[in-house]
Structure formats: C-alpha cells, structure tokens
C-alpha cells in the first residue's frame, strides 16, 4: 500500500489494540509510600509497561518518571486500595536506611528508560488486574513492510478523574505511520 493513500481507518486504534495495550500497561503513581499526601488528581503518574525476560517479570517506564520520585515519594502500582511499591529500604548517602525506588537506569545520558523487577507483585497483577507481560524470550524479529503503523500507549499525568471513589487516568493510544 502506498503510504500516501493511507486512510484514517488505517491509523485508528482498533479494539484489539486497546485491549492488548491496556493488558500490558498500567499507571505508575509517584506518591508517598503511606499515602501521607493522599492519592488524588494532583498525584503525578507515568506509564508502567510489563515485560518478561528469562522467566522474570519487570516493569519498564521512562527514567524521567522515576526521577520525579523525590523526597519521600516512590513509584507504585495500585490494585483498588492496595499499593504495590516499586521501592525498598536501601543505604542512604550517610549510611541511614532510606526507602527509595528500585529502578535501574542504563546510560541515562542516552536513554530515557528505567526498569525494575516486579516478580514480587506479578501474581497479584496478573490475577487481580488481568495484566500480561510482553514476553521478550518469545520475541521474533520479522521484516516490516514500509507502510507499517506503530502504536504507542501511555497514561499522561493530566486529565485524572474519579470513578466509583477511585482515582483514574485515561490511557492515550496513538498510531503513527
């Protein structure tokens, strides 16, 4: 197909795209571990993407999202009122124990990516939220035609709303040629 003839229908996300993107992602909240500042529309968030590699589960996000977890704030996932921290006690600069994120950021100057192990929470995410992980062990590269469309999914920190007394944020889904 000539990309000049690509119609709006070819770049509109399908229901299947929405379902897959929603299953492999979730909002990643930046909040106090004990919700001391609450969990409301002012709570910052980013996007968590779930992956599986060498039979272990991980959460990936942008490094700038993790870097927003300053002070007492840490990245966390939510299942109803259950908070799943992506954090642990670590030794601080003065030797004190501090509770901070467990993300690794490879070559931050070149890449805006952060990754953390999530196996401790994976069964709960899978069973209670029906989450799926992108299985990198099963990944097979295939040649892509020139007229391929690409999909990006995420949870922008703007436009939060309340549903059934729970904080929600819409998933943005963008398809580009």
């Amino acid at each position: 197909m000539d990309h000049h003839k690509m119609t709006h229908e070819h770049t509109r996300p399908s229901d299947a795209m929405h379902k897959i993107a929603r299953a492999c992602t979730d909002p990643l909240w930046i909040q106090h571990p004990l919700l001391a500042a609450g969990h409301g529309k002012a709570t910052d968030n980013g996007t968590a993407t779930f992956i599986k590699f060498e039979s272990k589960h991980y959460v990936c996000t942008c490094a700038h999202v993790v870097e927003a977890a300053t002070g007492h704030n840490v990245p966390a996932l939510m299942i109803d009122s259950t908070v799943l921290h992506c954090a642990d006690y670590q030794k601080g600069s003065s030797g004190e124990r501090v509770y901070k994120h467990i993300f690794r950021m490879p070559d931050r100057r070149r890449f805006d990516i952060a990754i953390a192990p999530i196996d401790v929470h994976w069964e709960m995410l899978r069973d209670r939220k029906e989450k799926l992980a992108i299985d990198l062990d099963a990944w097979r590269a295939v040649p892509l035609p020139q007229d391929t469309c690409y999909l990006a999914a995420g949870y922008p920190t703007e436009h939060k709303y309340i549903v059934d007394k729970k904080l929600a944020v819409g998933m943005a889904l963008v398809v580009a040629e």
Side-chain angles (χ1 to χ4, degrees), residues 28-101:
L28 182 67
W29 302 99
I30 306 300
Q31 60 195 23
H32 188 280
L34 302 175
L35 301 180
H39 182 73
K41 291 181 180 180
T43 305
D44 286 333
N45 70 279
T47 302
T49 301
F50 305 112
I51 63 168
K52 180 179 155 190
F53 180 65
E54 295 181 350
S55 301
K56 293 185 172 125
H57 293 88
Y58 299 90
V59 58
C60 291
T61 192
C62 293
H64 73 265
V65 171
V66 174
E67 290 167 349
T70 59
H72 293 291
N73 290 334
V74 295
L77 298 160
M78 300 286 293
I79 300 178
D80 297 323
S81 60
T82 303
V83 180
L84 308 175
H85 297 135
C86 297
D88 201 356
Y89 283 100
Q90 301 171 35
K91 189 180 283 191
S93 58
S94 303
E96 77 283 11
R97 287 174 41 97
V98 293
Y99 197 67
K100 62 182 260 185
H101 74 81

Side-chain angles (χ1 to χ4, degrees), residues 15-38:
D15 288 343
M17 290 175 179
H18 278 273
K19 186 175 181 178
I20 291 167
R22 182 75 181 115
C24 296
T25 64
D26 214 35
L28 182 67
W29 302 99
I30 306 300
Q31 60 195 23
H32 188 280
L34 302 175
L35 301 180

Side-chain angles (χ1 to χ4, degrees), residues 120-156:
V120 68
H121 301 309
W122 183 247
E123 282 186 29
M124 192 180 305
L125 287 162
R126 183 194 64 210
D127 296 346
R128 291 185 49 197
K129 287 192 97 170
E130 299 180 358
K131 293 300 174 184
L132 300 172
I134 299 167
D135 189 347
L136 297 182
D137 295 324
W139 186 265
R140 299 293 177 254
V142 295
L144 298 175
Q146 295 249 343
D147 60 350
T148 298
C149 290
Y150 298 92
L151 177 78
Y155 301 88

